[in-house]
Each structure stands twice: as C-alpha cells, then as structure tokens.
Amino acid sequence: MKCDLCERDATVREVTVRNGVRVERHLCERHAAEAGIKVTASQPAPGVPTPGGAGTQVRSSACPTCRTTFAEFKQHGLLGCAACYQFFEKQLAPLLERAHDGLSQHRGKAPARGGRPTPADSAVAEVEARSDLLKRLKSELERAVKAEQYERAAQVRDEIRRLCEGTEGQGEGCTGR
Amino acid sequence: MASEGPGRPPNQGEPVPEWLKAEGEACDVVLSTRVRLARNLREVPFAAKANKDQRRLSLDLCRDQLLIAGISPRIAWQELHEAAGVQRALLVERHVISKQLSKGRVGGAGVGGVDDPRGVAYSLPDERVAIMVNEEDHLRIQVIRSGLSLSQAWQQANDIDDRMEAGLAYAYSERFGYLTCCPTNVGTGLRMSAMLHLPALRLTGDIEKVKRAAGDMNLAVRGFYGEGSDAVGDLFQISNQTTLGRSEAAILESLEAQILPRVIEYERLARRDLVAKRRTMLEDHVWRAFGVLSNARFMTTEEAMQSLSLLRLGALLGVLPATPALDLRAINLLLLLIQPAHLQRAVGQELDQEQRRMARATLLRDRVRC
Ligand SMILES: [Zn+2]
Ligand SMILES: [Zn+2]
C-alpha cells in the first residue's frame, strides 16, 4: 500500500469516524509525523525502498519553471515551486483532498495584492516573456529555413523584427534583422 | 544584535521566554498557545528545489523586509549558517527555531546542510515572535503567547504577515491558497497549537481518552519538542491537522472556543478529583518527586521533566508550600534550564552525557527547595 501523499510505502494506517463516516488514511512515516500521528517501533523503518516501485514509473512531464516531475514529488512529498501547483493541479487535487479532510478549495485569507505581482515582478516577467518568445521564434526560423519553407521563414523574421523594435538598448540577441 | 540573544549565563535575571511566563488565561493547564504561518516567495523555488544561490536570494529578500517591517520594537537577527552548534541548540530548546532549521536539511528531499543560507528573527526580550527564513518554507512566522491566548497570537501573526507581504510577492493561488513546499501545509498555511500540562489526566488514566478524542476531531497530539517527540513531563501539544478549505476564523473558533476549553475543564476536574478523593496518593507522588529533585546526583532530561511535572501539579494544588522557589514561573523556567544546551551554557563548557546528568542534578538540588 502506497502513502496517500507520496510514492513511499504507507507504514501507518489511521481510521477515524467523522460525522458518521469512516475515513481511512494510509501514510508514510514522514507524512504521518507531519500529521501528528505517532509511529511506534513495531512498524517498518523509514527509507525502505518500495518493492516494484520501479516498474510502475509513470513517464511524467516536468514543471516548466523548476523542472520537478510528479514522480519526484511522489518520491519525497515536496513540491519545487509555486508553479508546480498550477502545473500538477489535476494530479494534486485528489491528494490534497485526502490529506485535508475532503476539502481542496482554499477558504480564508488572501494576500492584499491577491497574489498579483509587484511592479518590479511584472517588469522582470515582461523581459523574461519577451526573451522566451524571441528564443522560440529564432528556433522556428531555423527550422523553417532548414525545411526550405521560405514564406514561413519570412513571416517569422518579420515577427522577430517587430519584437525587437521598441526594445532598443535591451534588444540583446536580436540578430534576426 | 544577535549578541543580545540567549547567550548570557543564567542568573536571577534570566530572561523568561514568553511561553514559560505562567501568565494569562488558564495558565494552570495551558503553558502557551502558538500560531504559525507558512509562506513562500512566488519567484524563488521552494526549499526542496532551490540551489544555494536561490536560497541566498530568498534569505536576502526576507531578511531585508523583516528588518524594515516594524515587527517588534527590538528584534534580533541570527544567520544560522554562521552560528555555532550550541547557539542553534539553545534556540531549539527555547522554541525559537525548529530542529529542522537548526540542521538546515530539508526533510524528504535530502537537500541542504548545516552551512545552507538560513536565519531567524526574534523579538527581544520575550522571544514572543520568531520568524524562520529558509526552513521548509521561505517564511515561517510564529507567535507564542503565555496561557490560552490564540486570538491575540493570531492577530499579531496576521499583522506581521501583512507587513511582510507589503514588500514580498507571496506564492498564492485562488484554488489552493498560500502555496507551501509540503502540501500538508497548503491553504491557510496556518497551524494553531496549545501546549497543555495534563498531569492529573495521566494519573487518573484518562489521557488516552483525550488523545483518541483529539484524533477523532482531526487534531494532532504531539510532545514537548514537536513532531515525533514524546509527551515527556505530561506536556502535550494539540494542533489543527488540516490547513486547506477551512478559514483561519473557523480553525481559531474550533480550537479556542470549543476543543481547548473542554480539555482544560477535563484536566481541572481530574485535579479536583485527586484533591478530594485521592489526596494521599497525590501527596505521595508530589513529595517523591520533590525528594528526587532535591536529592538526586544524576538525572536524565526525561526523569527531570517527569518530576518537575509533579512538582508543578503540587504547587498548583497547594500540596507544596507557596515559596518563591516553588512558584509556577520558577518551575516552568526549570523545564528549560535542564535541557542539554542550557546546562552547557550554564557551566560554560561542553559536557558529555554523564556530566550533563550530574550538572542537571546539581542545578535542581540548588533550585528545588521549600
Ligand atoms: Zn508520504
Ligand atoms: Zn515547479
């Protein structure tokens, strides 16, 4: 039996009755400790590799921001960055629901900014977004030239030129003109 | 600034940390209440994934904001990668930092180490506020109050959170709330807890019932030093277990208005019962503990804490004479002074286990008298 929250073996089974409904949780040592459940000596030691775990490996894509894979998360139960929550939202929601007594929609305080970026953040983000786009366009241009799609290549070159206009002085890498 | 911290030798002027002051509502049962908020920066990877440069970055961003945010009139800032092991151990024993922050290792991910960039800011002289930077989350805001005082602790933590957020972009989503490294903290990022002294419930054997009931109400019961620690000295921490989907107000209401008053009343009933029906047994337990504390030559931490628990009960129930040496705050403070790092600070040198046991017994013989 796997831990409800990660890929390790569940060493603790906790059964509680809430509102007349039986709730059963299976947790590994780490997550049981986090949840305040005491692990007694008779239960298996932590860190024992999951038998057969290798065979069930899922080919998973990585968080675009921090490169954490879902398999990695399942292995140690920790996420890599804020973007992980968005990227793995579908897989995370049922796990969070189990860990939080059936609930998975936040209620309560929100940051005054509502998580919106500070002016400094948006300036950084803008520059980053532009350089990302530029990189993508350049590789597309390369591909189009290689495939001898000259019409497409001309379109992409125009796009690159447009992107680089108005960014004089910071148009680092704008060699597309 | 850091030199103002817990570095001075113990004497009559030993600063009593907030959580041992024996003040406030229900302080006969509730040693302290604590509110902790977990927060992360949106633009920096979490601890499990951050490299050293990124950890340096989150440390700098949080520290700069901490020092201008007006969190407390006097505040100490300690960079823990530069602190000596004994200094870190003192802060752990004083409940200013966690064991994990002391070690600098991030749990399951197995990253980090003792020289990893991390720090703590804490208010002086009461150590009521402590803000850990680069623990499992970029920020862990903690406010401790003596006695049952969750609302005030929450108000203060909430205010500090606002002040920090004024200069930092937090990781937050509408769906999952405040985003944390471990998903068991996501949502409000809020952990509210009370440190309860329940010796009478142990003596009457009803403590297991309380633990089971707490489990059924989705509360966690932990020991004196948190996660995975034993309930030595009859000290138990009760806290909310889930953080997602229930508002701060709901968590506060259920603990402060419903659950904790019931546990407090249960312990008080057991105490009255001991006085009324089992006075001799009570006196026997208390005076034996007094005998051990004022005569032993070697003492483990566990035995000391167990005996101090009974001494505290005896002082509260009028079994012991009301003298300054046996007042509640003096006994509370002993719970801290017998811990290994505090003992070593008192004698001014490193001690091995046997020497510590001797130093502990000596300190107790000196302080526990009628
Ligand atoms: Zn787990
Ligand atoms: Zn990520």
Side-chain angles (χ1 to χ4, degrees):
Chain A
M1 175 75 65
K2 294 268 171 63
C3 170
D4 286 349
L5 284 172
C6 71
E7 203 61 25
R8 278 178 303 215
D9 273 341
T11 57
V12 178
R13 193 184 68 140
E14 185 213 35
V15 181
T16 51
V17 177
R18 226 164 284 133
N19 307 326
V21 181
R22 188 185 142 100
V23 182
E24 200 171 312
R25 298 206 297 173
H26 300 268
L27 296 171
C28 69
E29 184 121 0
R30 182 193 147 76
H31 283 111
E34 289 255 0
I37 299 163
K38 187 136 168 37
V39 180
T40 63
S42 64
Q43 281 158 325
V48 181
T50 319
T56 59
Q57 229 174 36
V58 188
R59 203 186 62 83
S60 55
S61 48
C63 164
T65 304
C66 76
R67 303 266 134 227
T68 295
T69 63
F70 200 68
E72 225 178 306
F73 160 67
K74 285 230 138 193
Q75 208 182 2
H76 52 60
L78 301 172
L79 290 158
C81 76
C84 284
Y85 278 93
Q86 200 179 356
F87 190 70
F88 298 121
E89 179 171 353
K90 277 208 176 69
Q91 293 117 296
L92 276 174
L95 297 184
L96 291 177
E97 217 169 278
R98 251 179 295 171
H100 293 276
D101 203 21
L103 303 171
S104 71
Q105 169 60 54
H106 171 59
R107 292 183 64 186
K109 188 176 179 179
R113 266 201 299 276
R116 284 190 303 281
T118 61
D121 291 331
S122 39
V124 169
E126 220 174 281
V127 170
E128 275 174 8
R130 191 157 43 217
S131 88
D132 272 5
L133 181 58
L134 197 62
K135 249 181 250 163
R136 247 183 299 134
L137 288 172
K138 277 196 219 161
S139 62
E140 200 178 334
L141 176 64
E142 230 169 87
R143 268 195 315 258
V145 171
K146 240 183 228 161
E148 305 187 1
Q149 298 168 337
Y150 297 111
E151 211 170 311
R152 177 70 191 137
Q155 273 175 3
V156 174
R157 198 169 289 130
D158 281 348
E159 267 182 72
I160 291 176
R161 198 166 297 148
R162 234 175 294 136
L163 193 67
C164 289
E165 275 162 21
T167 60
E168 303 299 338
Q170 47 173 300
E172 172 219 344
C174 282
T175 51
R177 34 183 121 200
Chain B
M1 270 195 299
S3 61
E4 289 185 85
R8 68 188 91 171
N11 49 40
Q12 299 306 92
E14 168 76 29
V16 182
E18 172 76 19
W19 61 281
L20 293 171
K21 277 186 178 159
E23 290 170 355
E25 204 186 317
C27 67
D28 55 329
V29 179
V30 184
L31 227 65
S32 62
T33 37
R34 189 184 76 138
V35 166
R36 189 222 66 196
L37 291 171
R39 299 289 187 255
N40 284 281
L41 306 179
R42 202 193 38 217
E43 306 298 338
V44 185
F46 297 164
K49 207 69 182 181
N51 61 34
K52 209 158 182 173
D53 286 343
Q54 291 162 330
R55 286 170 74 79
R56 187 75 239 179
L57 177 64
S58 51
L59 182 74
D60 288 346
L61 289 170
C62 293
R63 184 205 46 223
D64 291 353
Q65 184 60 22
L66 270 170
L67 297 178
I68 61 161
I71 280 157
S72 168
R74 279 175 70 212
I75 195 160
W77 168 255
Q78 172 96 59
E79 307 232 330
L80 294 163
H81 47 285
E82 285 168 358
V86 64
Q87 175 68 10
R88 298 199 311 270
L90 284 168
L91 291 170
V92 171
E93 290 175 2
R94 300 179 81 82
H95 291 191
V96 171
I97 65 172
S98 63
K99 278 185 193 155
Q100 179 167 330
L101 190 72
S102 171
K103 291 191 199 120
R105 283 183 71 78
V106 178
V111 297
V114 95
D115 56 357
D116 245 47
R118 65 201 193 284
V120 65
Y122 54 99
S123 65
L124 293 173
D126 55 15
E127 298 164 18
R128 178 187 285 177
V129 175
I131 301 166
M132 295 192 277
V133 181
N134 282 353
E135 210 239 27
E136 189 177 275
D137 297 297
H138 292 143
L139 279 173
R140 290 272 175 109
I141 299 167
Q142 164 181 299
V143 177
I144 295 190
R145 300 285 300 231
S146 179
L148 179 63
S149 189
L150 272 178
S151 329
Q152 283 97 324
W154 158 244
Q155 270 167 27
Q156 193 173 1
N158 191 22
D159 174 62
I160 292 169
D161 183 41
D162 290 343
R163 289 166 182 269
M164 292 302 289
E165 196 234 332
L168 299 169
Y170 279 165
Y172 175 85
S173 90
E174 305 239 310
R175 169 101 200 251
F176 297 133
Y178 293 91
L179 306 177
T180 52
C181 185
C182 181
T184 51
N185 296 313
V186 82
T188 55
L190 170 67
R191 199 77 67 190
M192 289 188 169
S193 64
M195 174 96 67
L196 306 172
H197 183 223
L198 307 176
L201 285 174
R202 182 180 57 84
L203 289 176
T204 58
D206 286 335
I207 192 71
E208 291 306 318
K209 271 189 228 162
V210 172
K211 284 201 217 170
R212 268 200 304 276
D216 286 346
M217 289 183 284
N218 217 4
L219 301 166
V221 183
R222 301 187 166 104
F224 188 56
Y225 280 107
E227 221 162 80
S229 71
D230 274 322
V232 287
D234 304 318
L235 292 164
F236 299 84
Q237 272 187 64
I238 290 191
S239 66
N240 62 304
Q241 234 181 82
T242 69
T243 52
L244 182 60
R246 291 168 71 223
S247 69
E248 295 85 357
I251 295 170
L252 177 66
E253 156 78 15
S254 79
L255 268 173
E256 188 159 64
Q258 293 167 24
I259 290 146
L260 292 174
R262 255 182 259 168
V263 180
I264 293 164
E265 196 41 47
Y266 206 29
E267 166 70 17
R268 284 177 177 163
L269 263 172
R271 289 180 188 181
R272 282 199 289 272
D273 195 64
L274 286 176
V275 172
K277 297 183 193 144
R278 283 183 268 185
R279 174 103 200 172
T280 309
M281 178 198 112
L282 171 70
E283 285 178 349
D284 185 61
H285 277 297
V286 171
W287 282 109
R288 274 172 191 274
F290 180 88
V292 166
L293 290 167
S294 54
N295 287 288
R297 261 55 180 173
F298 287 98
M299 182 103 63
T300 63
T301 312
E302 291 70 30
E303 186 182 12
M305 289 191 61
Q306 211 49 55
S307 302
L308 286 170
S309 165
L310 291 164
L311 200 69
R312 196 175 185 277
L313 181 68
L316 281 162
L317 298 184
V319 174
L320 295 166
T323 66
L326 296 176
D327 94 332
L328 219 49
R329 184 182 290 193
I331 296 172
N332 281 358
L333 188 58
L334 285 176
L335 291 171
L336 179 63
L337 298 182
I338 56 156
Q339 302 298 329
H342 278 78
L343 279 177
Q344 299 185 48
R345 186 194 63 176
V347 299
Q349 67 179 80
E350 245 182 79
L351 303 172
D352 64 26
Q353 193 181 63
E354 192 173 312
Q355 291 169 321
R356 283 203 301 272
R357 289 179 180 175
M358 212 155 89
R360 186 175 295 121
T362 306
L363 176 118
L364 288 165
R365 279 206 314 281
D366 181 42
R367 298 215 179 199
V368 177
R369 54 199 138 80
C370 280

